């Protein structure tokens, strides 16, 4: 290791936070490949008496470094909390399981009694779950209360391995008279689908002590939702259920509503973008009306709920003294429905705006005004929102067939539905109507296309085909400046500063997943790969929140 590298590492470690039994290397972007790289980290761990929490987030740990760090942890029996999210950035997926096995074995050897294990934002896939399977089954996790595995790409296979390990942990701990009492479970954005969710539901039903379950964006349909509902019914301490962006339909929503009737501690229900539809909304409204007196937040946004059913939901919250937020954004109320909704909420004194949300609301209003102006210029202006601030405005829509969509409408306000409604020729239409001599136009068009990316066949295919048509046209044009394009794209992604004030896109997930496809195509200049890799590797909060997509892209770029 070069002397300048050691100096740089020492400077980073000087920022290490120590206190309350916690040793933190969080966000220091340490690249720990070898045993030598990890020497200072090991020293800090070894010299820390009474180590209860170790934070390694925002660094990258290789197999060899993990082994020597593990050796240092073998004597830390008081360790209770492992904050190990986002600690494998840029690593090959094959490197992660052995690193996790080393660290897990060390905790078992130390006789640690974990309370919290956070491995979120590590794109380890199903094989990665094998890396901490033995740890979960060991006495070290008999005391586990919080398990956080958000955005790890576990898939169905990983979900099944995880469920089996949790059941085994409960069985073994119960045999010792102290059954596993897990309180918080987090596994959003893991592509668990029905089979993975059903396997975990079985484990939840056995455990029975859950207080919070967060499983948004997992491609779960009504069979998986129904299985989860049945498991939740025998977890009477549940306070928070977050299943945002899964697909309930009426069947799943009705099953979940029946479960809600049996739960008395519920404070937060997040079923936004879950397609509960009107029948499901009425069932949930009935459950809310019958009980749930501790309810603080109810999110049923973008669920295809029609006016009468949305009003039933609003009426159901009348006696909920603790309620702070009701979200019915993006449903089918119409202007009259919005007015009726406002009247109901004003009767409950629910139409006032929280002071601490004023600044955020003002920013949102400014953005909405800009959008409305753009729509008016296209002759498609929508009516002003009439819903209360407390209820995110429900967009005016009716049961009549959706109007035709043109390219300009899609690019102004992109959505997966609009892209699909452009029809089979959407890729050709967008490519034809984009001036590829305008670098900025190409970059923003690509970002708008990628923003609707979903890991679902029709949308994913449409995004890929449209991207291919646009970028093939651009890259094969003699006048297209590829370097300038990449620069513009990185600026809009918020990864490169610009003299001009350009607002970065709100999420990088879609563009990262789209780039992962794009860089593998024959039209993509391979000379741009090192540039992309350099910027995607750099520490960045927006990239950190999309670590699975980031890891996938880096792995692909590495293989080019």
């Amino acid at each position: 290791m070069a002397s300048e590298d050691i100096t740089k590492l020492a400077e980073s470690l000087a920022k290490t936070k120590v206190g309350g039994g916690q040793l933190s290397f969080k966000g220091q972007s340490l690249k720990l490949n070898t045993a030598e790289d990890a020497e200072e980290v090991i020293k800090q761990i070894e010299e820390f008496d009474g180590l209860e929490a170790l934070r390694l987030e925002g660094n990258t740990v290789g197999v060899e470094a993990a082994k020597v760090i593990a050796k240092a942890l073998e004597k830390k029996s008081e360790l209770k909390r492992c904050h190990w999210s986002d600690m494998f950035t840029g690593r090959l997926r094959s490197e992660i399981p052995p690193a996790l096995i080393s660290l897990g074995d060390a905790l078992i050897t130390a006789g640690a009694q974990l309370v919290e294990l956070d491995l979120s934002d590590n794109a380890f896939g199903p094989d990665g779950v094998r890396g901490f399977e033995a740890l979960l089954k060991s006495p070290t996790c008999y005391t586990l209360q919080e398990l956080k595995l958000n955005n790890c790409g576990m898939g169905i296979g990983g979900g099944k391995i995880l469920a089996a390990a949790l059941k085994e942990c409960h069985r073994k701990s119960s045999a010792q008279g102290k059954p596993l009492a897990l309180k918080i479970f987090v596994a959003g954005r893991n592509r668990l689908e029905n089979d993975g969710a059903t396997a975990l539901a079985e484990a939840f039903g056995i455990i029975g002590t859950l207080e919070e379950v967060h499983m948004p964006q997992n491609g779960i349909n009504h069979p998986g939702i129904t299985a989860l509902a049945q498991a939740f019914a025998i977890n009477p301490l549940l306070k928070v259920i977050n299943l945002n962006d899964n697909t309930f339909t009426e069947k799943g929503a009705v099953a979940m509503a029946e479960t809600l009737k049996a739960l008395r501690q519920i404070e937060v229900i997040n079923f936004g973008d879950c397609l509960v539809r009107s029948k499901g909304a009425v069932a949930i409204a009935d459950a809310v009306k019958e009980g749930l007196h501790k309810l603080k937040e109810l999110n049923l946004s973008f669920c295809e709920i029609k006016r009468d059913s949305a009003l039933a939901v609003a009426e159901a919250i009348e006696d909920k003294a603790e309620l702070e937020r009701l979200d019915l954004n993006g449903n089918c109320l119409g202007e009259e429905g919005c007015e009726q909704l406002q009247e109901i909420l004003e009767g409950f004194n629910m139409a006032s705006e929280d002071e601490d949300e004023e600044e955020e609301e003002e920013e949102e209003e400014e953005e909405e005004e800009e959008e409305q102006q753009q729509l008016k210029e296209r002759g498609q202006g929508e009516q002003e929102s009439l819903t209360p601030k407390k209820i995110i405005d429900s967009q005016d829509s009716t049961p009549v067939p959706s109007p035709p969509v043109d390219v300009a409408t899609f690019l102004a306000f992109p959505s997966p539905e609009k892209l699909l409604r452009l029809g089979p020729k959407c890729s050709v239409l967008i490519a034809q109507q984009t001036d590829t001599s305008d670098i900025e136009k190409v970059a923003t068009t690509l970002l708008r296309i990628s923003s609707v990316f979903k890991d679902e066949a029709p949308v994913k295919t449409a995004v890929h085909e449209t991207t291919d048509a646009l970028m093939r046209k651009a890259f094969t044009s003699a006048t297209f400046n590829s370097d300038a394009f990449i620069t513009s794209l990185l600026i809009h992604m918020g990864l490169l500063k610009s003299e001009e004030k350009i607002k970065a896109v709100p999420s990088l997930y879609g563009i990262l997943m789209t780039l992962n496809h794009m860089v593998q195509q024959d039209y993509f200049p391979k000379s741009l790969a090192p540039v992309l890799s350099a910027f995607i590797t750099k520490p960045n909060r927006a990239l950190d929140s999309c670590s699975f997509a980031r890891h996938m892209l880096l792995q692909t770029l590495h293989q080019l």
Side-chain angles (χ1 to χ4, degrees):
M1 193 177 196
S3 59
E4 58 268 24
D5 291 334
I6 295 173
T7 302
K8 186 177 180 181
L9 179 60
E11 289 173 355
S12 294
L13 291 170
K15 301 174 186 175
T16 301
K17 296 178 182 178
V18 178
Q22 173 176 285
L23 177 60
S24 176
F25 300 95
K26 182 179 178 179
Q28 294 185 20
S29 302
L30 302 176
K31 294 182 180 179
L32 308 178
N33 298 315
T34 65
E36 187 181 3
D37 293 340
E39 281 180 358
E40 288 294 329
V41 174
I42 294 164
K43 182 181 178 183
Q44 297 250 13
I45 293 173
E46 289 176 340
E47 293 178 353
F48 196 111
D49 293 328
L51 180 63
E52 295 184 6
L54 178 62
R55 308 196 75 106
L56 292 173
E57 311 104 304
N59 300 290
T60 178
V61 181
V63 176
E64 188 180 338
K67 286 180 180 178
V68 291
I69 291 172
K71 195 68 178 175
L73 290 175
E74 287 180 358
K75 298 177 183 178
K76 301 299 175 181
S77 61
E78 296 177 33
L79 189 62
K80 293 180 175 64
R81 297 183 182 275
C82 296
H83 302 279
W84 294 350
S85 63
D86 188 24
M87 57 180 260
F88 297 111
T89 300
R91 300 289 170 185
L92 295 175
R93 188 174 290 185
S94 59
E95 294 181 82
I96 301 175
L100 287 173
I101 289 170
S102 296
L103 294 167
D105 287 349
L107 299 178
I108 296 170
T109 300
Q113 300 285 292
L114 290 187
V115 172
E116 179 180 0
L117 177 61
D118 186 355
L119 292 170
S120 298
D121 299 320
N122 289 310
F124 45 58
D127 291 341
V129 185
R130 294 284 188 197
F132 59 93
E133 180 185 14
L135 173 64
L136 281 180
K137 293 178 180 179
S138 75
T140 293
C141 285
Y142 290 178
T143 51
L144 195 63
Q145 294 180 14
E146 301 180 28
L147 180 58
K148 300 174 181 177
L149 300 166
N150 200 57
N151 193 29
C152 291
M154 290 189 291
I156 294 171
K160 289 181 176 180
I161 297 167
L162 176 61
L166 288 172
K167 288 190 289 185
E168 182 72 0
C169 180
H170 187 272
R171 185 187 67 79
K172 288 182 175 180
S173 58
S174 297
Q176 293 193 4
K178 292 184 178 180
L180 171 68
L182 191 66
K183 294 181 179 179
I184 298 174
F185 179 83
V186 181
R189 290 179 71 170
N190 271 291
R191 298 175 293 162
L192 294 170
E193 301 182 15
N194 289 330
D195 290 347
T198 300
L200 285 166
E202 186 178 339
F204 296 161
I206 292 170
I207 293 169
T209 56
L210 289 167
E211 295 180 12
E212 295 185 21
V213 175
H214 302 264
M215 296 173 64
Q217 203 173 352
N218 269 298
I220 308 170
N221 299 323
H222 74 82
I225 296 298
T226 300
L228 288 171
Q230 293 168 350
F232 292 165
I234 43 183
N235 280 266
L237 301 178
L238 266 174
K239 295 179 182 178
V240 178
I241 302 177
N242 176 7
L243 293 173
N244 189 285
D245 199 10
N246 289 292
T247 308
F248 283 42
T249 65
E250 293 91 337
K251 290 181 181 179
V254 169
M256 193 62 70
E258 286 301 308
T259 284
L260 292 175
K261 292 177 182 178
L263 299 175
R264 293 289 176 264
Q265 306 300 319
I266 289 291
E267 296 179 3
V268 177
I269 298 172
N270 186 345
F271 297 160
D273 202 13
C274 283
L275 205 67
V276 305
R277 296 195 173 118
S278 295
K279 184 179 178 181
V282 170
I284 291 169
D286 290 342
V288 171
K289 195 168 187 177
E290 289 182 22
L292 304 186
H293 296 295
K294 296 183 179 181
L295 188 64
K296 293 181 180 179
E297 180 178 333
L298 175 59
N299 184 348
L300 292 175
S301 61
F302 297 93
C303 282
E304 292 192 5
I305 303 170
K306 295 181 182 178
R307 182 186 65 182
D308 291 347
S309 301
L311 296 179
V313 172
E315 290 168 352
I317 66 169
E318 181 177 5
D319 63 344
K320 308 307 168 194
E322 301 295 320
L323 193 72
E324 299 172 357
R325 184 178 181 83
L326 172 63
D327 192 341
L328 289 170
N329 181 29
N331 287 299
C332 312
L333 275 71
E335 182 179 347
E336 184 181 349
C338 290
E339 291 174 352
Q340 291 175 308
L341 190 59
Q342 184 165 359
E343 288 174 7
I344 292 171
L345 293 166
E346 284 175 346
F348 304 159
N349 293 320
M350 278 287 294
S352 61
E353 180 178 2
D354 289 345
E355 291 181 6
D356 60 356
E357 292 180 354
E358 284 181 359
E359 185 177 340
E360 183 180 343
E361 294 283 357
E362 286 173 5
E363 291 178 1
E364 289 176 358
E365 285 173 9
E366 287 176 6
E367 291 178 7
E368 286 170 8
E369 286 173 7
E370 290 177 7
E371 291 176 355
Q372 293 292 341
Q373 184 59 39
Q374 289 180 37
L375 277 176
K376 285 175 183 176
E377 289 172 2
R378 299 180 189 278
Q380 298 169 8
E382 294 182 308
Q383 297 203 10
E384 182 180 353
S385 168
L386 297 174
T387 40
K389 295 289 185 182
K390 201 74 176 200
I391 308 232
I392 307 299
D393 54 311
S394 302
Q395 295 180 3
D396 185 13
S397 55
T398 63
V400 298
S402 300
V405 173
D406 58 20
V407 172
T409 303
F410 167 72
L411 292 177
F413 299 101
S415 73
E417 294 75 19
K418 287 176 187 170
L419 182 62
L420 294 176
R421 277 163 53 198
L422 279 172
K425 293 184 178 180
C426 63
S427 58
V428 177
L429 291 171
I430 291 176
Q432 284 177 344
Q433 296 185 36
T434 304
D435 180 6
T436 52
S437 65
D438 185 340
I439 298 297
E440 186 73 7
K441 185 72 173 177
V442 176
T444 55
T445 300
L446 176 63
L447 287 164
R448 288 176 183 272
I449 294 166
S450 65
S451 70
V452 307
F453 179 90
K454 278 190 174 184
D455 201 13
E456 297 171 3
V459 178
K460 184 178 181 180
T461 300
V463 169
H464 285 173
E465 289 178 352
T466 309
T467 298
D468 289 343
L470 173 67
M471 298 315 303
R472 187 180 298 279
K473 176 185 175 184
F475 282 126
T476 55
S477 169
T479 59
F480 188 70
N481 188 327
S482 300
D483 293 332
F485 163 74
I486 286 294
T487 299
S488 177
L489 186 64
L490 291 169
I491 289 171
H492 282 281
M493 291 172 69
L495 305 182
L496 185 62
K497 290 183 179 180
S498 170
E499 293 180 1
E500 299 177 20
K501 188 177 180 181
I502 294 177
K503 188 175 181 180
V505 293
S507 171
L508 295 181
Y509 179 74
I511 185 60
L512 291 175
M513 294 300 284
T514 303
L515 282 171
N516 186 53
H517 165 81
M518 194 173 96
V519 300
Q520 299 178 62
Q521 308 311 307
D522 57 4
Y523 59 74
F524 182 78
K526 298 300 183 280
S527 60
L528 297 179
V531 179
L532 266 182
S533 184
F535 281 93
I536 301 300
T537 306
K538 285 184 176 181
N540 182 281
R541 282 187 181 181
L543 287 171
D544 291 345
S545 66
C546 305
S547 65
F548 173 74
R550 178 194 208 177
H551 179 83
M552 291 284 288
L553 177 55
L554 285 173
Q555 195 169 25
T556 300
L557 289 169
H558 179 74
Q559 293 170 354
L560 290 178

